[in-house]
Amino acid sequence: MKILKTCLLVLFCLVAGTSLFAAGQQDSDTTNLTLMLNFQSTEAVTTAFEEVISDFHSANPSIKIDLISGTSDYEALMKSKMATNDLPDMWSTHGWSVLRYSEYLMPLEDQEWASRLHPAIKPVVTDEKGHIYVLPIDVDMAGVAYNKTVLAKAGVKVETLKTWKDLYGAMDKVKAIGVTPVHIGGKDSWTVGNFFDWAAPAVYITDPKHYSGDDLVAGKFDTAKWELLAGLMKEMNEKGYLNVDNLTSTYSDSARALAVGDAAFTFYGNYVLAEAWTFDPDADLGFFPVPAYYEGDSPSLISGERSTVGIWKDTANVEACKTFLSFLAIPANAAKIAGSNGIPAGLTDAESDTGKLKADYKKWADAPAFPYFDRAFLPSGMWDTMCSTGAGILSESMSTTEAAEKMKEDFNRMYK
Amino acid sequence: MKKLQEKSRTHSKHPHITNLMYLPALLLFTVFIVYPFLEGIRIAFTNWNGFSQHYDYVGFKNFIYLFQDKNMYTASWNTIIYGFGSTVFQQILGLSYALLLNRMILGRNFARTFVYLPVLIAPVIMGYMWYFMFQYRYGALNDILAVLGMDPVDWLAKGKRAVGLIVFVNTVQFCGISMVIYLAGLQTIPTMYYEASQIDGANAWKQFINITMPLLRPAFITSITLNLIGGLKLFDAIKAMTNGGPGYASHSLSTLIDYTYFRSQSAGYSATMGILLFAMILLFTLIIQKLSARQEVLL
């Protein structure tokens, strides 16, 4: 027994000693960084990051980056990590660099690449004090996603869809050929909220004559305007422009309907096109700017974050992280990652391959872009109210007035 | 053996040493149950968003809002329906299956396995299986209606119907548990009671009412308690079938707490609802305990 105990003790010391030695050796030679990618990162995006990281390792042998791919639980995981203030050195922020993650991120506006940010993404990643917390490698510019084959059959040209009135006209034509004009996958409640994110700028922001952005930021909520917005959803539902199962189908159903030509339009980001192409790679799909609400105003695009990387403010490896971000900001590297998403790069001097949407991006290059409405103009937490009031309208359990009142109530409750 | 006896004597002389053996379990209980529970109460008095290092204490603001929140009332009512609705139907189905399959009939073992099999499936998978049945487009049920020349129905689009269908799915999945409990109970009833009653001229109905039912009381209590707790904390099936929708119409308190914490980023208010759910389960558990104690006295 005594011999066994002695043997075990010697073995333990050997193992512990070797591990400590190895760790010590590694610490002295290399800086280990962790980079977490979010749930939006597809296989192509992860591969692009891996390739860039591999090049980075060759150029900077003293820094090793451990890439962790995101899962569907990414948001919950990051919230837990933030709550315990135990975060990776770098992570991606999926649209929330300012509102959710800025408390934990390091301001980066002093970095060289900050002066090269694409004008469509700069306001999205900049807070009211002018701080920029992430490197936006690409910019998620989107409008109304549509099936080109269906619209051609219905005799609709998207270039003519300047206002919601024009859009309704197009919906009538689509309906006349037996296709559902708009698909909403309301079982995933975010899809209902997303409609408001798409339609709200036209009512509150894009028209200088009806601009309410400053009021919203100052804590004043215009219920009359929200009633107009909610009215759009109600009207579409009543006129039969929406899919019958708009409350029980899923986002994936929307993508499928768009791909196979069962629906003409969806109000999601261009990620819906990527998902639709998984159902039918040959589907002829595209996007166009969201029509204006008021006569005289112009259609606009919605811009948001996609692939971003920020640095934890408490990381012990600040310089190594900044070196990596500078490497990511090299035009060729940014273009590679943006190209894996099929969207424009977030830096003015990087040109990415936007694949099947190249012609559309070129066509709408001059359209004004506005950030996601709720992230820029509503208090944190309002997203849920947008989703639930929208569902209330679709299920006819809520009037447009009640929806607007509920929005105001929660706006006042959550505004700080 | 002698050593064991000596050790046993040592323990009986020093009961405090034996009591120390409870410590690991007590420690785990404290860390994973008591501490989170107390933290939950503290968070209920804050406006914490679930991830920030900064938040304020807001007194009873969350509790006041709790009683003004229509969604909370909907979810509470649904929780009661999921709990009691599933329990009632599971007892009816479980007992019926048990009475039928307690007899010597052909394929009895196969039928018992068939009824119990859904219990082995994860509730979330079961929920999705049924979702694909009820789906408006491509749903199996609507395909059958189409074959019959009928219009498709969006089964889960109406709140009350969605709640009813969730109760149905939960019942179908877990009635096997009740069946097993009642089968075990039926097999403990001595046949002599039935033989004696037959001599006295009792028919099958009278035997069921006067012998089977009273002697199945312990089985009833076990089955009802298990099913009620399962129904009250129903989560996976709701997430898979309706995700709490349309709107908030089919949320239970469990799913609403999850939704409020992670989606609405209102951890403080979510914790307040957690306290409500705790109180609700505590109340029902006390009532069941009281009833079961009375039944034991009667027996």
Side-chain angles (χ1 to χ4, degrees), chain A residues 160-200:
Chain A
T160 62
L161 307 180
K162 303 287 184 196
T163 63
W164 271 88
K165 202 176 161 189
D166 300 333
L167 189 60
Y168 276 175
M171 288 179 190
D172 279 328
K173 288 181 182 173
V174 169
K175 203 180 158 194
I177 60 163
V179 175
T180 302
V182 179
H183 199 286
I184 290 182
K187 186 194 171 200
D188 300 323
S189 59
W190 68 266
T191 64
V192 181
N194 218 67
F195 168 78
F196 292 120
D197 253 346
W198 255 231

Side-chain angles (χ1 to χ4, degrees), chain B residues 259-274:
Chain B
Y259 189 86
T260 309
Y261 190 105
F262 288 106
R263 288 279 155 205
S264 307
Q265 302 184 16
S266 304
Y269 181 54
S270 181
T272 313
M273 284 197 283

Side-chain angles (χ1 to χ4, degrees), chain B residues 37-54:
Chain B
F37 176 70
L38 295 176
E39 264 297 285
I41 293 175
R42 186 180 68 81
I43 291 167
F45 290 94
T46 70
N47 62 358
W48 191 42
N49 60 12
F51 55 86
S52 178
Q53 301 295 314
H54 308 289

Side-chain angles (χ1 to χ4, degrees), chain A residues 79 103-104 187 248 262 384, chain B residues 51-52 137 154 240 259 262:
Chain A
K79 281 178 181 173
E103 183 183 336
Y104 297 90
K187 186 194 171 200
T248 55
D262 281 351
D384 169 54
Chain B
F51 55 86
S52 178
R137 291 176 70 86
D154 197 0
Y259 189 86
F262 288 106

